[in-house]
C-alpha cells in the first residue's frame, strides 16, 4: 500500500529518538496485510483463542510482561491502572473475547507468544505511523457514553500516531476508533512490539505464526514486513 508518491507504508514508520532513549531495547516487527477478507468470528477463531488462553494461563509474571510494566512506569503510566495490552489479555486467558476473525488471530498470537500486538485499519490512516512521546495536545478519538468524543494523551506519554492524531495511547494500551479493525477491514498494519529480554527470533516466529493464520482467513492476502529498532 503506497503513500507519498509510491513509498510503502512500512518504509515510513518511525520510532522517535525520545522513545529510543527511553527504551533502547525496543523493537517492532511491522507487518502489512493487504486484501484481507475479514468477517465474524468462526470456529477456527474460537479454537485459536481457546488454545492461546490455555497455554498462557501462568504468564502474568513472564519476563516480557514485567518488562512492559517497567516501560509504562518509565513514562509515568500506572501499569496496574492502564495495563500493557498483553498483560490485560493474559489476565482474560480463561475467556478471551471473540471480536472478528482478524482481531481474534492477532489476539491469539499475542497471548500465546506473550507479545503486545496491535492491528490498525490502514484505510483509516492519514500519513505514516510513528511512535513518539506526546506533547499532550494530540487528538485521540473515542466513544464515551455511547457518543463520539476526543481525549488527549498526557505530555510525555508514549503513543502511536499519524498525521490526524493518536492511533494508540500508552504505547499499546488503547486504540482509537478511527483505525480499529472491523469485519469490513481489508488492509491492516500489525505492530508486534518487543523489549528485552524477549528474543528477536521469538518475535519473528510470532510474526510467521500471525501470517500463517491470516492466510487461513484469506489465502490470497499480500504480506510485507519490516523489523524496526534492531538493525
Amino acid at each position: 500500500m503506497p503513500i507519498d508518491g509510491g513509498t510503502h507504508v512500512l518504509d515510513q514508520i518511525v520510532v522517535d529518538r525520545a522513545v529510543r532513549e527511553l527504551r533502547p531495547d525496543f523493537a517492532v516487527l511491522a507487518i502489512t496485510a493487504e486484501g484481507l477478507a475479514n468477517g465474524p468470528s468462526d470456529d477456527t477463531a474460537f479454537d485459536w483463542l481457546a488454545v492461546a488462553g490455555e497455554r498462557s494461563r501462568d504468564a502474568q509474571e513472564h519476563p516480557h510482561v514485567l518488562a512492559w510494566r517497567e516501560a509504562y512506569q518509565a513514562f509515568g503510566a500506572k501499569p496496574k491502572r492502564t495495563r500493557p495490552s498483553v498483560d490485560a489479555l493474559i489476565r482474560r486467558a480463561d475467556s478471551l473475547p471473540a471480536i472478528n476473525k482478524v482481531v481474534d488471530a492477532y489476539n491469539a498470537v499475542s497471548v500465546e507468544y506473550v507479545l503486545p500486538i496491535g492491528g490498525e485499519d490502514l484505510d483509516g490512516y492519514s500519513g505514516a505511523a510513528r511512535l513518539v512521546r506526546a506533547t499532550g495536545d494530540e487528538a485521540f478519538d473515542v466513544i464515551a457514553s455511547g457518543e463520539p468524543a476526543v481525549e488527549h494523551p498526557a505530555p510525555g506519554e508514549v503513543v502511536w500516531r499519524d498525521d490526524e492524531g493518536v492511533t494508540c495511547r500508552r504505547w499499546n494500551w488503547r486504540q482509537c476508533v478511527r483505525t480499529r479493525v472491523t469485519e469490513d477491514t481489508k488492509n491492516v498494519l500489525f505492530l508486534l512490539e518487543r523489549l528485552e529480554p524477549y528474543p528477536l527470533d521469538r518475535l519473528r516466529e510470532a510474526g510467521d505464526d500471525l501470517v500463517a493464520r491470516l492466510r487461513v482467513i484469506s489465502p490470497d492476502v499480500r504480506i510485507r514486513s519490516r523489523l524496526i529498532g534492531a538493525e
Side-chain angles (χ1 to χ4, degrees), residues 19 97 132 172 176 186:
V19 178
V132 304
N172 49 50
C176 76
K186 295 179 174 59

Side-chain angles (χ1 to χ4, degrees), residues 1-180:
M1 178 170 291
I3 58 174
D4 291 355
T7 303
H8 195 269
V9 292
L10 289 178
D11 299 324
Q12 296 218 344
I13 296 173
V14 172
V15 177
D16 191 75
R17 179 183 297 178
V19 178
R20 294 183 184 275
E21 290 173 350
L22 184 71
R23 290 298 302 224
D25 57 332
F26 174 72
V28 57
L29 178 61
I31 299 173
T32 55
E34 300 172 58
L36 286 165
N38 198 11
S41 302
D42 58 10
D43 288 344
T44 298
F46 295 144
D47 288 344
W48 286 339
L49 293 170
V51 170
E54 181 65 31
R55 291 177 177 174
S56 65
R57 274 185 188 160
D58 300 322
Q60 289 185 21
E61 299 303 312
H62 187 283
H64 203 216
V65 174
L66 300 181
W68 276 104
R69 291 176 191 164
E70 291 172 359
Y72 270 45
Q73 291 171 334
F75 67 83
K78 297 179 180 179
K80 289 185 178 180
R81 181 179 177 186
T82 55
R83 297 185 184 279
S85 65
V86 67
D87 192 358
L89 277 175
I90 285 172
R91 289 171 185 275
R92 303 178 69 181
D94 289 335
S95 57
L96 287 169
I99 310 297
N100 57 60
K101 289 191 285 188
V102 170
V103 174
D104 297 345
Y106 76 75
N107 277 347
V109 173
S110 174
V111 170
E112 194 162 330
Y113 286 80
V114 194
L115 182 73
I117 301 178
E120 304 278 353
D121 187 329
L122 277 172
D123 295 320
Y125 247 79
S126 176
R130 54 241 194 226
L131 186 66
V132 304
R133 299 198 71 173
T135 62
D137 59 357
E138 300 92 342
F140 180 70
D141 63 300
V142 299
I143 298 295
S145 301
E147 297 293 333
V150 175
E151 297 178 355
H152 301 278
E157 183 179 321
V158 178
V159 299
W160 282 100
R161 65 159 301 162
D162 63 3
D163 292 346
E164 195 167 327
V166 173
T167 55
C168 192
R169 285 195 59 187
R170 296 188 182 126
W171 219 316
N172 49 50
W173 166 63
R174 186 181 181 192
Q175 188 178 26
C176 76
V177 174
R178 173 168 53 91
T179 61
R180 285 179 182 169

